[in-house]
Amino acid sequence: MPGLKDVMESVKESQVWKSVARNPLPSNARTRALAVLNNVFLHLHPVRAPQSGIRLKYTWCMGGLTFFVFLVEVITGILLMFYYRPTVEFAYADIIDLREQAPLGLMRELHRWGAHTMVITVWLHMMRVFMTGAYKPPREFNWVVGVVLLLLTLLLSFTGYLLPWDQLAMWAVTVGTNMARATPFVGYEGPGAALLKLGDINLVHSADDVRFALLAGRFVGEATLLRFYVLHCVAIPFVATILMAVHFWRIRKDGGISGPM
Amino acid sequence: MIKIIINWLALPYMYVSIAIVLFFLTIRSRKLWTGKAGGLLLLGSILFLAYSLTDEHFRGLVTRPDNVPIVMLLFAVGFFVWFALKQAHENDERVMQGKPLDEVAWKDKVFVWPNLVYTELICMVVATIVLVVWSIYIPAPLEQPANPSSSPNPSKAPWYFLGLQEMLVYFDPWIAGVLLPGFIILGLMATPYIDKNPKGNGYYTFKERKFAITIYLFGFSIMWVLLIINGTFLRGPNWNFFGPYEPWDIHKLVPLNNVNLSEFIYVKFLGTGLPKHWFFREIFGIALVVGYFAVGHWYLAKKLLKRFHDLMGPVRFHLMAFLLLVMVATIAKMYLRWTMNLKYIIGISEFFFNI
Ligand code: HEM
């Protein structure tokens, strides 16, 4: 009888295994390097890095966790999209269905608590970067990219808030967007808006100011729901993904994880 | 009895003052609490939370599903501030003793597989477990269907914007909702270009970056996190203020007679009544605001932070000074409201221009 070891051996010798894994299991310097270099995901990393930057103590793995939770959001979000229709007629009922009918009814929970978590981890990541002075040259620009990512994270969460179409959603978004109408010059209640007129005609009014652009209307309604849905599921994730790619690329190009000179 | 005292201590000007004093005390005495005292502090705060959970109103608030992450945020921020300052303090001690930084002692390169890849894997597994357990035990809330004609009281923005919503109490929306967040983002983006201190790049330290770290932690923990806690737990119906153990009574009446600076001066002090033209009416307020920034910039550049001014050059310095002055002015306005019911320093409602 062949033992487990022999079975493992023959699996590792098979054409299928070799075609997938390409390298032998990492066991020495050469194979460890290959494991990182030959894998599209792992090659975000360098092959070797200073231990000071790798230790959990230094980075708290906070950036990594933020990215991981983002992936959780993408996966659970895609699953939610199978069930959810962004219309006033269906949105709320679809959310109830998600709870009562959909198999593996945890997706909404995972997505919601994941969103809260991502906001927290991104703040903590930023604090870590600040406390280690990792925004100093040559990493200034990556910090700026990070600030935009922070903003996008908050906007993702904010646009998602509206989608369940319950009281909490509608009024939180109403409160949040009310401020926009006071934007100087481009909000109709903002300072300076009254100065922008042609003869007697006000150029900035409640039906064309920034708040109107955000809500696609003067109130939170059906058009807002669609607008927030597209922003939440497509537009912002699209931009955020690109910026994350830039962020990770720049970490490598700026000399890898920071450390004392 | 304890609850009454705590409810009283939780009045805005009390607890914000306490928090500010505590903040500077912790920064000063980091040596003490980065050691064992930190653990005691953590234990104390957990006990305090446990004790508070015996209060029905408090329990109801804290265990609201959407509020759970905010409690987690509070503990996480506390822990990580402690953790970062502890490492900073240890490094500072090492430098004083002439030993190399901890990061330098560990600067040897190692293979990313397995050293980093495994750590990441473990982090991912732990995060997954936490999220799944959390999701099993706490269902995502769903309220009544959206109804444009009945607004809940209080209507709150999502929790991460509550600091800004709190600002709405003291400022008009164009400042609270547009200018202040704009300054925060601008300030964050400008940070690496403002901070010319070459030290402390890539390792934990406090001594070499006292100013930068103090400002950052102050902004984050007091101006952002504390105000989120305030907005979540202490602001009730009509955005009125409630102590942590005080039930939210919709009918709580808070006398609202906030007074503009112009009324203070012309009506109460000079007794002449308000001038007709807005410019003369608001001249004192305008002088105060312009004067504050002018004197502030001058004083910071020439006296208090002269050292930085010479190091950074005027553009960087005045950008930083401006942001700093805005932060201080924001707190000042909050205190003026709490203590003197001051409404607007400049109130030109003719142009929606109120500060
Ligand atoms: C969606 C949000 C973000 C993701 C997924 C992300 C991800 C990461 C990851 C994985 C790293 C590697 C080191 C680590 O884990 O700490 C990193 C480093 C870095 N991040 Fe982020 N980040 C995000 C937001 C931010 C923000 C908000 C900032 C700052 C404002 C920032 C600034 C930086 C900088 C400067 C580095 C280099 C640090 C060093 O070399 O020590 N990132 N980021």
Side-chain angles (χ1 to χ4, degrees):
Chain A
M1 281 295 281
L4 189 64
K5 229 177 166 178
D6 302 318
V7 177
M8 291 285 284
E9 262 329 293
S10 60
V11 167
K12 275 192 272 175
E13 289 305 313
S14 72
Q15 190 185 357
V16 175
W17 174 272
K18 278 185 173 167
S19 73
V20 176
R22 195 129 268 177
N23 322 302
L25 287 181
S27 56
N28 55 24
R30 201 182 90 85
T31 46
R32 282 179 182 157
L34 283 177
V36 172
L37 282 175
N38 283 353
N39 181 297
V40 63
F41 304 109
L42 291 182
H43 99 283
L44 279 173
H45 296 312
V47 169
R48 289 169 358 115
Q51 198 154 17
S52 63
I54 279 183
R55 289 184 307 170
L56 199 55
K57 224 177 135 169
Y58 185 74
T59 61
W60 316 337
C61 202
M62 256 329 148
L65 273 176
T66 311
F67 184 52
F68 176 67
V69 178
F70 177 73
L71 293 180
V72 171
E73 293 300 285
V74 171
I75 294 166
T76 53
I78 290 175
L79 290 172
L80 290 173
M81 283 174 79
F82 283 120
Y83 292 90
Y84 175 85
R85 287 162 290 182
T87 62
V88 169
E89 189 182 353
F90 294 122
Y92 186 76
D94 285 347
I95 299 286
I96 291 190
D97 275 1
L98 267 170
R99 185 168 60 195
E100 316 220 314
Q101 316 286 341
L104 281 180
L106 271 191
M107 288 309 132
R108 185 164 166 246
E109 275 72 20
L110 283 175
H111 197 72
R112 191 185 188 98
W113 305 141
H116 288 321
T117 308
M118 187 172 165
V119 171
I120 297 178
T121 53
V122 81
W123 292 351
L124 293 176
H125 170 57
M126 183 164 91
M127 183 167 103
R128 188 291 284 178
V129 172
F130 193 96
M131 294 301 287
T132 54
Y135 59 82
K136 299 192 174 197
R139 298 185 179 77
E140 306 102 306
F141 182 68
N142 216 14
W143 167 273
V144 177
V145 173
V147 176
V148 181
L149 278 171
L150 168 80
L151 200 63
L152 290 176
T153 307
L154 294 181
L155 288 178
L156 266 175
S157 188
F158 183 64
T159 48
Y161 228 82
L162 184 65
L163 303 184
W165 204 245
D166 62 351
Q167 280 290 71
L168 184 71
M170 163 167 262
W171 291 99
V173 169
T174 304
V175 171
T177 51
N178 263 346
M179 303 195 199
R181 66 180 169 208
T183 316
F185 296 107
V186 288
Y188 80 101
E189 283 181 0
L195 301 175
L196 300 176
K197 44 165 100 176
L198 270 184
D200 273 348
I201 307 165
N202 273 333
L203 289 185
V204 181
H205 50 77
S206 64
D208 73 349
D209 69 341
V210 274
R211 181 162 182 273
F212 192 91
L214 267 176
L215 296 185
R218 279 184 298 169
F219 307 99
V220 176
E222 174 113 0
T224 319
L225 188 54
L226 180 62
R227 188 158 290 199
F228 274 45
Y229 176 75
V230 175
L231 284 172
H232 183 75
C233 301
V234 187
I236 305 178
F238 174 73
V239 181
T241 308
I242 293 178
L243 280 181
M244 281 184 209
V246 175
H247 197 61
F248 299 157
W249 176 254
R250 284 299 295 248
I251 296 173
R252 293 289 302 277
K253 293 294 130 180
D254 294 339
I257 189 76
S258 57
M261 297 290 161
Chain B
M1 184 58 202
I2 300 182
K3 287 183 183 174
I4 296 177
I5 296 180
I6 291 179
N7 274 339
W8 177 71
L9 286 178
L11 284 171
Y13 60 89
M14 284 302 284
Y15 88 88
V16 173
S17 312
I18 295 174
I20 293 177
V21 172
L22 274 183
F23 175 80
F24 285 105
L25 272 183
T26 35
I27 293 273
R28 276 218 80 101
S29 60
R30 44 193 193 287
K31 186 169 173 189
L32 182 77
W33 69 282
T34 47
K36 287 212 179 63
L40 283 180
L41 217 61
L42 182 70
L43 193 71
S45 52
I46 291 176
L47 284 180
F48 177 65
L49 182 71
Y51 166 75
S52 299
L53 282 174
T54 60
D55 183 87
E56 201 177 337
H57 170 71
F58 188 88
R59 189 171 57 235
L61 263 182
V62 169
T63 52
R64 282 255 305 263
D66 273 321
N67 290 349
V68 170
I70 301 167
V71 179
M72 290 174 26
L73 168 77
L74 188 60
F75 278 91
V77 169
F79 173 77
F80 282 109
V81 168
W82 171 78
F83 194 44
L85 282 181
K86 176 177 151 67
Q87 295 187 62
H89 179 67
E90 283 166 3
N91 263 344
D92 292 343
E93 295 276 282
R94 293 170 74 101
V95 171
M96 276 217 314
Q97 294 160 4
K99 288 197 265 179
L101 295 165
D102 191 44
E103 282 85 354
V104 171
W106 289 76
K107 74 171 191 303
D108 287 347
K109 286 201 168 187
V110 292
F111 277 102
V112 159
W113 183 303
N115 296 289
L116 176 59
V117 177
Y118 279 28
T119 314
E120 287 174 342
L121 187 76
I122 294 170
C123 283
M124 280 177 358
V125 171
V126 171
T128 312
I129 294 175
V130 169
L131 279 177
V132 170
V133 171
W134 184 1
S135 300
I136 289 175
Y137 280 100
I138 307 187
L142 188 65
E143 299 190 355
Q144 296 299 307
N147 178 355
S149 55
S150 106
S151 68
N153 189 359
S155 283
K156 291 190 180 181
W159 60 270
Y160 35 82
F161 289 147
L162 284 180
L164 298 174
Q165 195 176 358
E166 176 72 12
M167 287 298 114
L168 277 176
V169 176
Y170 316 101
F171 297 100
D172 275 8
W174 69 281
I175 297 186
V178 185
L179 234 52
L180 290 181
F183 287 151
I184 295 175
I185 293 168
L186 180 89
L188 283 176
M189 284 188 175
T191 299
Y193 306 97
I194 293 178
D195 181 358
K196 288 305 279 178
N197 178 1
K199 292 202 200 123
N201 184 345
Y203 54 94
Y204 287 99
T205 169
F206 180 79
K207 274 216 174 117
E208 296 171 14
R209 303 173 55 214
K210 278 187 191 141
F211 186 74
I213 290 183
T214 308
I215 301 282
Y216 180 83
L217 286 184
F218 184 85
F220 181 56
S221 59
I222 307 275
M223 301 297 282
W224 193 252
V225 175
L226 191 73
L227 289 184
I228 288 176
I229 305 291
N230 165 75
T232 313
F233 298 118
L234 305 179
R235 288 294 184 180
N238 305 323
W239 206 252
N240 276 332
F241 192 83
F242 292 86
Y245 310 117
E246 188 181 347
W248 285 6
D249 174 9
I250 305 212
H251 305 292
K252 174 166 178 174
L253 271 185
V254 181
L256 261 189
N257 39 11
N258 293 332
V259 181
N260 287 345
L261 182 67
S262 53
E263 286 155 358
F264 265 118
I265 292 179
Y266 284 107
V267 181
K268 292 212 170 145
F269 191 64
L270 297 176
T272 55
L274 291 177
K276 284 253 155 40
H277 195 274
W278 59 262
F279 183 75
F280 295 108
R281 190 184 69 217
E282 299 305 334
I283 186 133
F284 291 103
I286 296 173
L288 185 66
V289 172
V290 173
Y292 168 76
F293 280 101
V295 174
H297 276 277
W298 171 83
Y299 181 69
L300 289 180
K302 293 282 179 287
K303 305 269 160 178
L304 197 60
L305 301 177
K306 186 165 177 350
R307 212 160 33 92
F308 292 163
H309 183 266
D310 300 343
L311 194 82
M312 294 161 66
V315 177
R316 287 195 178 88
F317 183 85
H318 285 291
L319 179 59
M320 178 202 75
F322 176 73
L323 294 168
L324 198 65
L325 287 171
V326 168
M327 185 154 101
V328 173
T330 309
I331 304 173
K333 176 90 195 269
M334 292 163 71
Y335 271 97
L336 287 175
R337 172 65 59 82
W338 293 328
T339 50
M340 298 170 57
N341 287 326
L342 178 77
K343 190 166 181 209
Y344 294 130
I345 296 175
I346 304 179
I348 314 177
S349 36
E350 288 89 338
F351 305 128
F352 297 124
F353 187 91
N354 304 311
I355 293 179

